[in-house]
């Protein structure tokens, strides 16, 4: 997939950054820390490439493993108790499971981007409902909208998100 | 399909829970990565600079400690010379005392030690530098009296 001579770190980064970010968030349970880990891993990865290392078709797996290991190290460093039931599945490195994880993270990354792409007010209403757990009426009251409008906005948001992953 | 729907809901819930505005802008992240690399390079440079200066400091420390040791050694040597004479004995039994700014009292103590006589100087502020070659204590007294312009009496 990656022609060594054509390996472009910028394209590679943009292609996998979101998925890796979500992968790290799964393991660490914290988006900010996950972001730091992913950036650190990419910085090391780039250093390796600049140092003459030629990424092959396994580059994707390689960077996932880097992120995985650094997440685990970071958790140990922070003395977080790792809940194996929650993350055990996400740090599984068998080939089949790895492919599933990557696909899942790719899907989640697309969802994230789809939320990003929602019109601002629709995104706000959607997050107030799904993330903050407010009822349609509470949202309507806070924003001075009718419940009907809130319903419509959320319905549209769900529709847009379903289209993303073909559901 | 049910399973897939369930996964979708779980995945959506996960994304929504961690969602932050503008957190996953790959262009901004790429710029950040580039600046981080520049920073890490300058950090590397700083590391090298720190390492180099550490080496320099170590080198200086070693040089300094060698110098200190030499200094201490010199002091010690000088102390030794001040405390007691470096004495060498020639084949014919003539003793040679080596002194370097040694107070006269210490020199006289040495004489007491080597010749078994107690000597007292009229002026105890004088110091002795150089070699005194003598086979008898009288010769030493002569040399000291003459060179230091003092009087030494034997008890």
């Amino acid at each position: 997939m990656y022609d060594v001579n054509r390996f472009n770190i910028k394209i590679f980064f943009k292609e996998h950054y979101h998925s890796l970010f979500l992968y790290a968030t799964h393991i660490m349970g914290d988006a900010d820390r996950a972001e730091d880990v992913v950036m650190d891993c990419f910085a090391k990865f780039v250093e390796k490439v600049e140092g003459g290392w030629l990424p092959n078709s396994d580059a994707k797996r390689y960077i996932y493993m880097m992120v995985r290991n650094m997440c685990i190290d970071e958790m140990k460093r922070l003395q977080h108790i790792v809940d194996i039931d929650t993350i055990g599945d996400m740090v599984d490195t068998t080939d089949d499971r790895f492919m599933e994880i990557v696909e899942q993270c790719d899907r989640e990354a697309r969802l994230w981007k789809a939320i990003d792409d929602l019109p601002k007010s629709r995104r706000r209403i959607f997050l107030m409902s799904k993330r903050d757990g407010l009822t349609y009426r509470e949202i309507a009251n806070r924003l001075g909208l009718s419940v009907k409008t809130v319903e419509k906005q959320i319905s549209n948001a769900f529709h847009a998100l379903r289209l993303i992953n073909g559901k | 399909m049910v399973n897939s729907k369930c996964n979708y809901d779980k995945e959506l819930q996960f994304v929504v829970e961690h969602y932050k505005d503008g957190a996953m802008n790959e262009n901004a992240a790429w710029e950040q990565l580039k600046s981080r690399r520049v920073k890490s390079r300058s950090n590397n440079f700083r590391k090298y600079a720190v390492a180099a200066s550490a080496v320099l400091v170590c080198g200086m420390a070693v040089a300094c400690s060698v110098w200190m040791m030499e200094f201490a050694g010199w002091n010690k040597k000088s102390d030794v010379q001040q405390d007691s004479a470096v004495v060498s004995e020639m084949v014919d039994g003539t003793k040679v005392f080596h002194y370097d700014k040694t107070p006269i009292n210490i020199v006289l103590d040495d004489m007491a030690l080597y010749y078994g006589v107690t000597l007292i100087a009229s002026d105890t502020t004088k110091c002795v530098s150089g070699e005194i070659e003598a086979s008898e204590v009288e010769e030493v007294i002569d040399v000291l009296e003459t060179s230091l312009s003092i009087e030494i009496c034997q008890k």
Side-chain angles (χ1 to χ4, degrees), chain B residues 120-152:
Chain B
I120 296 170
S122 58
D123 183 354
T124 54
T125 60
K126 299 276 170 77
C127 289
V128 180
S129 289
E131 284 180 8
I132 302 170
E133 200 176 309
S135 54
E136 288 175 13
V137 71
E138 282 75 18
E139 284 178 50
V140 179
I141 293 169
D142 269 344
V143 169
L144 289 175
E145 281 184 332
T146 313
S147 59
L148 300 175
S149 309
I150 54 169
E151 280 182 24
I152 294 169

Side-chain angles (χ1 to χ4, degrees), chain A residues 167, chain B residues 1-10:
Chain A
K167 302 284 177 192
Chain B
M1 185 65 196
V2 172
N3 192 26
S4 152
K5 172 83 172 72
C6 177
N7 279 345
Y8 173 77
D9 287 344
K10 264 172 63 180

